[in-house]
Amino acid sequence: MGYPVADAAAFLRGTWVIDRDIVDSRDGAVGAFSGTAEFAAEFAAEFAAEFAAEFAPEGHSWSWVEAGELQWAAETHKAGRRLLLAVRPDVPCVVDVAFDDGRFFHRADLSSGSDTFVHGCAPDTYYGSWTVDSADRFRLTWDVEGPAKQITIRSTYSRA
């Protein structure tokens, strides 16, 4: 059980500090990402018109932009990603997440403060969980299983 969120957009809005650990159980490799995430009410419809039409028809869409450094295999690289979010006014505790090209990624219902979900990306399967610890902290965990992967990604987001 987590910290209940009634309005996902209000909760996520702003800048967060990310601490992420990555463990590859198959080969024992470990990595870490540190950086920031910005949740903003801006949306590049040219990247995801289909996502906007299906999940954010009223225009309640957001960008989720991460930037920082990834340490992997004794090397450090700049890294980041951009995701898209939609929060519907009729169910403000639910967030739909898509890749920046508009492909659906997962849905999280934060009304109880936690949710689990599955994303299939053949031949791999991503098992996710989102847990809100407080008004200023949440965790996102992915366990990735596939013929060539067994990776755990644990991310902690703290309000900046």
Side-chain angles (χ1 to χ4, degrees):
M1 191 76 163
Y3 177 88
V5 173
D7 184 341
F11 170 71
L12 291 170
R13 182 179 297 123
T15 304
W16 298 76
V17 175
I18 310 166
D19 289 307
R20 178 174 295 141
D21 295 316
I22 307 160
V23 177
D24 186 335
S25 299
R26 291 202 191 249
D27 66 12
V30 296
F33 174 87
S34 60
T36 59
E38 181 74 30
F39 293 87
E42 56 186 44
F43 186 71
E46 68 273 12
F47 291 111
E50 290 178 26
F51 175 75
E54 183 175 350
F55 294 98
E58 298 92 13
H60 294 85
S61 53
W62 293 68
S63 64
W64 172 353
V65 179
E66 296 184 357
E69 291 188 335
L70 173 67
Q71 184 178 30
W72 188 261
E75 294 184 14
T76 301
H77 305 278
K78 290 190 181 282
R81 68 177 176 174
R82 180 171 183 215
L83 298 169
L84 306 172
L85 304 175
V87 178
R88 294 179 186 246
D90 56 335
V91 281
C93 58
V94 175
V95 60
D96 288 308
V97 183
F99 298 103
D100 68 354
D101 64 2
R103 289 176 298 127
F104 183 77
F105 188 17
H106 69 276
R107 171 175 286 159
D109 180 345
L110 303 178
S111 61
S112 71
S114 64
D115 199 6
T116 60
F117 29 84
V118 177
H119 172 73
C121 187
D124 305 321
T125 304
Y126 289 66
Y127 300 93
S129 68
W130 193 323
T131 304
V132 180
D133 296 318
S134 70
D136 297 318
R137 180 184 151 131
F138 70 92
R139 292 174 284 131
L140 191 54
T141 300
W142 289 100
D143 290 308
V144 185
E145 295 179 2
K149 292 182 185 173
Q150 189 163 357
I151 299 172
T152 298
I153 305 165
R154 297 189 192 291
S155 304
T156 300
Y157 294 75
S158 302
R159 194 172 301 281

